[in-house]
Amino acid sequence: MNPIMMLASKASESIGASTMLVSNYVFPNDLHVHWSMMIVLYPYITGLVDGAFIIAALYYLFRVESLKPVARFSLLFALAFLSCATLPLLLHLGRPERNFNMLLTPSPSSAMAGFGYIFAVSMGVLVFIILFVYRPVLVELRKTSKGPLQFIYRTITFDSTDLSPAAMALDEKIIKFLVGIGIPIAAVLHGYVGFIFGGVKANPTWSTPLMPVIFLFSACVSGISAVILAYILIRRFKGRPVDHGCIVTMVKTLTLFFILAFSFEMLEVFSHTYLKTGYHHMVEGLLNGPLAASFWLWQVKICSVIPLLLLGVMGLMKLKASVYNLLAAVVSAILLLQVIIMRWNVVIGGQLMSKSARGYTEFHPEWFDKEGILAVIVVMSIPFIILWGLSRIFPFWAGENKT
Amino acid sequence: MKIQPPSPDMKKRSFLKKVLNGTIAGSLYLVFPMGSDGLEGQFPKNQMPPEQIPGIRDHAYDILDQEFAFIVDITRCIGCGSCCVADKREYNVPDGNYRTWVERYVKGFSDQVYVDAPNGGLDGYQNPRSDIQEEVRDTFFVPKLCNMCREAPCVQVCPVGATFTSPDGFVLVDDKRCVGCAYCIQACPYSVRYLHPVSRVVDKCTWCYHRVRKGLLPACVDVCPTSARKFGSMKDKESEVYKILKGPGVLTVLKKEMGTWPALYYKGARREVV
């Protein structure tokens, strides 16, 4: 028995009454999974951007003072990842040299055609927020730096050294305005990514209005987790103290978003199970067959239930700051894994079902493909290199001794 | 009467004559333009294939006033695979990808439905399935191809307008514009699209638009020995598809619930067909 037949018969055993419909037949063009790991990475990367931006927005717009230590860092973190958001897409395209078609063609009927506009606006707003937030620091650095670096500082401060109270008050207003419009833009950026999947009616696991909502909340989860983990690790590495109050606020925010994300993820499965519409037998067979391990075991049990319990302990029990921070790092790491597994289960899992509604195909990642494991590692490393480069120009923790 | 063998000289002369004739004839083929701008350029006047879709040639083609339909008669298909071979040859379809294919349905007395399409039916179904344990109640073949949806999801989702519906109702792909994002492949409920491994853009069945514009039937229809595949103009009241579609017989479309309004109809499709 070939592996596909084994999968399908396994699935058909688990779906009982619907067995007659499953005969492990996959449409000949469905054997190949067209959207693979790069399309898993793309929503993951934009999600990290969104979540990190939320942290910055909470400080700059809603004045959550305890988040001050990470506010600027999360903006730079968001920028580093947003700069790489198009990388997986370019690697995925059959004709990457034609990518400008995608950015320039107005195609109002297509969800994907909005990408160029949404990405460009997000990038523009984020860059300007960073330039205004960092302006006082940059003006100071301009005075002390020399050579090319001074030229860079002069350029990115638009040759203005005005730090008068009136100028700073104007800056603050501009930052508030930019962050204010940045929140809906960030929500649209990631909600739209969810809609790209939610808008595919041919695929019964994707086609749900919940998809943008699920993507948005899981984006916040991954982004906040990434900022928590990166903040703790960088501070430890640099031998600087970790601000406990800041961690507590981030963990509380993370808890809220994770409860929402996990509830919606489960609501989607529950709705499918309860409504039993259309091709429900295929979705059920998928979750209990080919995705049994990656969905139920990894995404739900290991990477969702355990963090929920840990977050419960952290929220309800009195813990020592060091223990709390350690748990925060652990929970964040697990949740980062949860979100990427969730993306995998949606993107690749959804394509394992053939549109024949009768069978499942398989996906085996390759190492050296342009969308292979090595490419994934490279793509995920580049944002960190960019982040390091940004830290040379925009010091993460500048001026923290003064406050 | 005894036949004299030709002298060596005669043999040589006739051989040279034949070579010369062949060379001239071959050169003439090179002189004829081989462009796709009309049949006249490809065939000498008296060798043109006969018109298969009446009313296309000898008229200016009014692209805004055309309607075509494709009907697959499941009760007639014998699973010979000729259509798949014709299609593969017409377009040089790479192995493992299919613009059209033929599925084999086998139904047992337990109501279990067994479906397969080894190599897309390209080799024809020459042998029965050996892996079915129960007694077989019924079996039939289902040819699949582009449904030419009037509300085509692939056209809707294409971010660069490379997939489009022509004014005469054909869903086509502009291979000069396609970026190969595969969104249309995801959106097609019938899985008739694939990413061409060489051109790295999306390809799919076109109902042989290039042939239709020359008054010829799609390649698969042309070769079908049982008329299981039927194609014609709905503007021609004498066409077989017009008579079937306007007649009292029962026709169905695939995945009606998707709201895609296909122009591909199935006659005699059983409820098991997806």
Side-chain angles (χ1 to χ4, degrees):
Chain A
M1 193 185 256
N2 71 40
I4 293 172
M5 288 177 76
M6 277 170 65
L7 278 178
S9 60
K10 204 172 153 194
S12 63
E13 278 163 26
S14 64
I15 62 177
S18 308
T19 306
M20 59 176 277
L21 289 167
V22 177
S23 68
N24 61 55
Y25 170 58
V26 176
F27 279 152
N29 290 329
D30 279 348
L31 283 166
H32 180 68
V33 169
H34 288 277
W35 282 1
S36 62
M37 287 190 291
M38 285 300 146
I39 305 298
V40 173
L41 278 197
Y42 167 61
Y44 192 60
I45 289 177
T46 58
L48 292 174
V49 174
D50 269 18
F53 188 81
I54 292 292
I55 293 289
L58 284 175
Y59 174 72
Y60 289 109
L61 193 65
F62 302 111
R63 285 283 155 219
V64 180
E65 288 295 330
S66 56
L67 290 176
K68 192 178 179 185
V70 290
R72 284 194 308 211
F73 170 72
S74 46
L75 283 173
L76 293 172
F77 188 87
L79 180 64
F81 276 87
L82 192 59
S83 329
C84 296
T86 56
L87 264 185
L89 299 180
L90 285 172
L91 280 166
H92 159 71
L93 285 186
R95 301 298 291 254
E97 75 278 15
R98 294 183 185 170
N99 73 85
F100 273 105
N101 285 2
M102 187 83 94
L103 299 177
L104 301 175
T105 314
S107 180
S109 69
S110 168
M112 199 182 266
F115 171 77
Y117 305 102
I118 297 168
F119 177 75
V121 172
S122 311
M123 188 57 122
V125 168
L126 185 58
V127 167
F128 276 108
I129 292 173
I130 290 174
L131 290 185
F132 276 103
V133 163
Y134 263 96
R135 210 173 68 82
V137 180
L138 298 178
V139 169
E140 289 301 321
L141 285 169
R142 178 189 163 178
K143 290 177 192 159
T144 53
S145 60
K146 281 178 191 157
L149 207 54
Q150 194 187 35
F151 177 74
I152 291 173
Y153 284 127
R154 206 173 153 185
T155 311
I156 59 180
T157 50
F158 301 103
D159 204 17
S160 160
T161 49
D162 185 3
L163 293 180
S164 64
M168 296 310 291
L170 179 64
D171 273 13
E172 193 164 326
K173 275 185 191 163
I174 292 172
I175 291 168
K176 272 203 166 173
F177 171 75
L178 286 174
V179 176
I181 60 166
I183 292 176
I185 289 167
V188 168
L189 176 70
H190 207 72
Y192 136 89
V193 176
F195 187 76
I196 283 188
F197 296 96
V200 177
K201 63 183 169 189
N203 189 319
T205 55
W206 291 352
S207 167
T208 158
L210 285 177
M211 205 50 93
V213 183
I214 293 173
F215 266 61
L216 196 54
F217 286 131
S218 63
C220 298
V221 170
S222 64
I224 298 169
S225 301
V227 171
I228 294 175
L229 192 61
Y231 174 68
I232 293 175
L233 289 180
I234 293 174
R235 300 292 289 191
R236 280 279 148 82
F237 185 70
K238 292 269 177 190
R240 295 191 183 193
V242 172
D243 187 313
H244 182 60
C246 175
I247 296 287
V248 171
T249 311
M250 283 200 286
V251 167
K252 280 182 179 167
T253 319
L254 178 64
T255 310
L256 169 73
F257 279 115
F258 183 58
I259 289 172
L260 287 170
F262 187 57
S263 306
F264 278 107
E265 281 163 21
M266 290 299 102
L267 176 61
E268 194 212 331
V269 177
F270 176 76
S271 305
H272 275 306
T273 312
Y274 190 81
L275 295 172
K276 294 187 192 293
T277 49
Y279 299 100
H280 164 70
H281 66 284
M282 285 301 291
V283 180
E284 193 182 11
L286 176 77
L287 294 181
N288 295 330
L291 292 190
S294 67
F295 183 75
W296 290 116
L297 178 65
W298 282 97
Q299 185 186 327
V300 176
K301 289 179 190 162
I302 296 177
C303 294
S304 296
V305 175
I306 292 175
L308 268 183
L309 293 175
L310 287 177
L311 287 169
V313 169
M314 292 162 80
L316 301 172
M317 289 172 68
K318 264 197 140 2
L319 298 169
K320 277 205 312 201
S322 57
V323 176
Y324 189 96
N325 292 352
L326 179 70
L327 280 180
V330 170
V331 165
S332 301
I334 301 175
L335 286 180
L336 279 169
L337 195 61
Q338 194 269 0
V339 177
I340 200 157
I341 293 172
M342 173 261 178
R343 306 278 194 253
W344 174 289
N345 288 334
V346 170
V347 177
I348 291 176
Q351 292 171 83
L352 297 182
M353 285 185 304
S354 172
K355 288 165 192 162
S356 67
R358 284 197 159 88
Y360 304 94
T361 186
E362 290 177 310
F363 176 73
H364 299 288
E366 285 179 34
W367 273 95
F368 300 108
D369 190 63
K370 80 178 163 96
E371 297 188 64
I373 299 168
L374 199 66
V376 167
I377 294 168
V378 170
V379 167
M380 285 311 283
S381 311
I382 293 173
F384 292 100
I385 297 168
I386 293 178
L387 190 62
W388 177 83
L390 284 172
S391 77
R392 306 286 96 190
I393 299 168
F394 303 92
F396 296 156
W397 328 112
E400 70 175 1
N401 296 337
K402 290 180 192 167
T403 50
Chain B
M1 190 181 129
K2 200 180 169 193
I3 299 169
Q4 290 285 327
S7 69
D9 257 16
M10 279 292 284
K11 257 192 191 169
K12 203 189 281 174
R13 197 175 299 163
S14 101
F15 173 74
L16 285 174
K17 237 181 187 172
K18 279 177 186 162
V19 168
L20 196 65
N21 285 347
T23 313
I24 293 168
S27 317
L28 279 177
Y29 274 108
L30 291 176
V31 172
F32 286 123
M34 298 301 276
S36 59
D37 52 338
L39 281 172
E40 295 74 18
Q42 288 183 25
F43 300 98
K45 198 80 181 165
N46 56 352
Q47 286 178 24
M48 265 174 51
E51 189 176 47
Q52 293 173 315
I53 309 170
I56 300 282
R57 292 184 200 163
D58 308 324
H59 292 91
Y61 184 81
D62 185 357
I63 201 166
L64 297 172
D65 188 33
Q66 302 289 343
E67 191 188 348
F68 295 95
F70 202 121
I71 298 174
V72 172
D73 187 345
I74 286 177
T75 60
R76 282 174 167 267
C77 182
I78 55 169
C80 66
S82 305
C83 47
C84 304
V85 174
D87 184 79
K88 195 173 173 73
R89 292 188 59 153
E90 184 79 18
Y91 298 97
N92 200 12
V93 181
D95 289 346
N97 299 288
Y98 303 90
R99 291 168 72 112
T100 185
W101 67 93
V102 176
E103 295 166 355
R104 167 170 58 185
Y105 279 65
V106 177
K107 202 172 169 184
F109 272 89
S110 68
D111 273 353
Q112 171 83 26
V113 182
Y114 306 87
V115 191
D116 68 346
N119 202 13
L122 204 62
D123 310 318
Y125 291 93
Q126 301 172 35
N127 300 304
R129 275 182 77 156
S130 55
D131 56 336
I132 298 172
Q133 308 301 326
E134 62 173 309
E135 202 181 340
V136 171
R137 188 162 100 189
D138 194 10
T139 179
F140 53 92
F141 299 101
V142 181
K144 293 280 182 77
L145 63 158
C146 179
N147 282 244
M148 294 292 168
C149 310
R150 273 79 162 235
E151 293 289 335
C154 53
V155 173
Q156 181 187 17
V157 302
C158 179
V160 296
T163 286
F164 62 99
T165 306
S166 68
D168 41 356
F170 290 77
V171 177
L172 303 171
V173 183
D174 180 351
D175 62 354
K176 302 279 184 298
R177 187 138 195 92
C178 176
V179 294
C181 69
Y183 201 13
C184 56
I185 297 177
Q186 306 294 355
C188 175
Y190 310 103
S191 292
V192 300
R193 291 170 161 259
Y194 64 91
L195 200 68
H196 197 289
V198 178
S199 65
R200 292 176 287 125
V201 295
V202 163
D203 191 27
K204 75 170 205 35
C205 160
T206 57
W207 284 7
C208 287
Y209 188 62
H210 63 296
R211 290 174 58 91
V212 172
R213 286 295 297 266
K214 291 166 190 163
L216 298 174
L217 288 170
C220 60
V221 178
D222 195 25
V223 300
C224 180
T226 59
S227 288
R229 290 179 181 237
K230 304 171 199 294
F231 179 84
S233 168
M234 291 301 287
K235 295 287 174 187
D236 173 12
K237 292 189 176 163
E238 294 305 312
S239 70
E240 191 183 5
V241 290
Y242 180 88
K243 285 176 182 164
I244 296 173
L245 271 165
K246 298 294 176 186
V250 178
L251 293 172
T252 48
V253 293
L254 297 178
K255 296 193 178 179
K256 188 179 174 220
E257 73 283 0
M258 288 285 165
T260 50
W261 298 96
L264 168 68
Y265 299 90
Y266 281 84
K267 191 177 170 188
R270 309 272 296 268
R271 68 183 172 86
E272 293 85 3
V273 176
V274 175

